[in-house]
Amino acid sequence: MSMAASTPVSAKQQSTFDLVAFAAIVVTILFWASSFVVIRICLGPLTPIELATARYVAAGVLALIYLVIYRPIPEKRDFLRLSVAAVLFIAAYAVLLNTGEQTVAAGPASFIINTMPVFTALIATFALGERFGRWGWAGTAVSFGGVALIAVSSDGGFKLDPNAVLILGAALCSAIASVLQKPLLGRLPALAVTAWILLIGSVPLFPAVPATIRALAAAPAEVNWGVAYLVIFPTAIGYLTWAIALKQLTAARASNFLYGVPPVATLIGFVWLGETPTALGAIGGLMAILGVLVVNVMRKR
């Protein structure tokens, strides 16, 4: 009797977990997709470094408050790994992405960034001994072919944009950081790891704080609102909802939902900024996502 009574409770709890996880994923996709558009708005009045500083030093302060209250202390052996991952995932990633988005539209930029799972699989092959396989290499070729099309697409025809390569570098930094974080997530809660990464990763940006404050004071109101939006929604809330999703779902299952970020970013860029992708850029974006899908789906089969 007790066993029969416990079954509906368990199913109900699982249903609740799924709803929370999917709600968290939807929030993450919307906020992370919108960040590519808001970055485009803030660049100009702010340099790439100033925008990175305004966004992540403020987020680092929020992370510090969390760490002071809850005090999740990593082991000494983890600090070097955590520090390298943080600098790559925050300072290096943000500066490369912001610099790239000076000329690369929000939609194409999000497609390029979403090649990160391909980089992660490649790095894991050598660092963790995971087998890549022929589908992995085929997907990588398709994905990077798409990035190449984005890099040379423009309204005026074929023209190489080196900033697309910088965004690809941001994806590489994110992939390396993800591989470095993997052991840490087994020893600390995801939110604690995220907080430490936000705090440590913002430290290299500290020297730019005075110039950033002056730039924000001289910037239009929409830029300051844009920075506030980036700090609160894509960064603080976006990282939190991502941590919730990772806690409820497997990492692979949660990551698959992030394929929705580039199409949403492209739509927001079109509605908000009037950024219409070129035919070549649209084909490149589809190829980039197709390659990532091949690496993550067909490789497993």
Side-chain angles (χ1 to χ4, degrees):
M1 185 73 175
S2 61
M3 289 180 63
S6 65
T7 302
V9 174
S10 178
K12 185 177 180 180
Q13 288 177 338
Q14 184 60 49
S15 177
T16 301
F17 289 156
D18 287 343
L19 286 174
V20 170
F22 290 133
I25 283 290
V26 170
V27 171
T28 303
I29 289 174
L30 290 175
F31 285 159
W32 284 4
S34 66
S35 69
F36 291 94
V37 178
V38 178
I39 286 171
R40 291 277 287 173
I41 293 173
C42 295
L43 289 171
L46 301 179
T47 67
I49 293 178
E50 289 168 350
L51 178 55
T53 302
R55 177 180 180 179
Y56 285 106
V57 169
V61 171
L62 296 177
L64 177 61
I65 295 172
Y66 165 82
L67 292 172
V68 168
I69 294 174
Y70 293 100
R71 299 183 181 181
I73 307 299
E75 299 179 17
K76 291 182 180 179
R77 60 174 177 158
D78 290 334
F79 264 108
L80 177 59
R81 179 185 291 270
L82 192 59
S83 298
V84 174
V87 172
L88 288 174
F89 200 37
I90 302 299
Y93 171 89
V95 172
L96 287 171
L97 175 60
N98 293 350
T99 303
E101 278 209 62
Q102 290 181 112
T103 58
V104 178
S110 66
F111 277 104
I112 297 173
I113 282 293
N114 230 41
T115 59
M116 186 270 283
V118 175
F119 278 124
T120 303
L122 282 170
I123 295 168
T125 299
F126 298 100
L128 304 178
E130 296 181 2
R131 185 173 176 272
F132 204 48
R134 63 178 183 274
W135 282 113
W137 292 110
T140 299
V142 172
S143 193
F144 282 103
V147 171
L149 286 181
I150 294 173
V152 300
S153 67
S154 67
D155 293 329
F158 284 89
K159 181 181 178 183
L160 177 63
D161 189 345
N163 282 337
V165 180
L166 295 181
I167 298 176
L168 198 64
L172 177 60
C173 288
S174 180
I176 296 173
S178 296
V179 174
L180 289 173
Q181 286 179 66
K182 191 172 183 179
L184 301 175
L185 290 168
R187 296 190 283 270
L188 285 171
L191 185 56
V193 173
T194 300
W196 277 109
I197 284 177
L198 285 172
L199 178 60
I200 297 173
S202 67
V203 171
L205 300 170
F206 283 0
V209 168
T212 301
I213 293 174
R214 291 192 296 269
L216 287 172
E222 68 171 354
V223 172
N224 285 274
W225 283 113
V227 169
Y229 177 88
L230 288 172
V231 171
I232 296 171
F233 295 99
T235 307
I237 296 178
Y239 278 89
L240 175 60
T241 52
W242 178 240
I244 292 171
L246 283 176
K247 184 175 181 178
Q248 304 292 348
L249 304 173
T250 64
R253 188 181 178 195
S255 297
N256 283 337
F257 286 98
L258 296 184
Y259 300 144
V261 171
V264 174
T266 301
L267 178 61
I268 295 174
F270 173 73
V271 173
W272 197 343
L273 303 179
E275 293 180 343
T276 304
T278 63
L280 197 62
I283 294 172
L286 291 175
M287 287 178 61
I289 292 301
L290 176 61
V292 174
L293 287 172
V294 168
V295 169
N296 286 272
V297 178
M298 298 302 296
R299 176 170 166 252
K300 291 176 183 177
R301 292 185 180 179

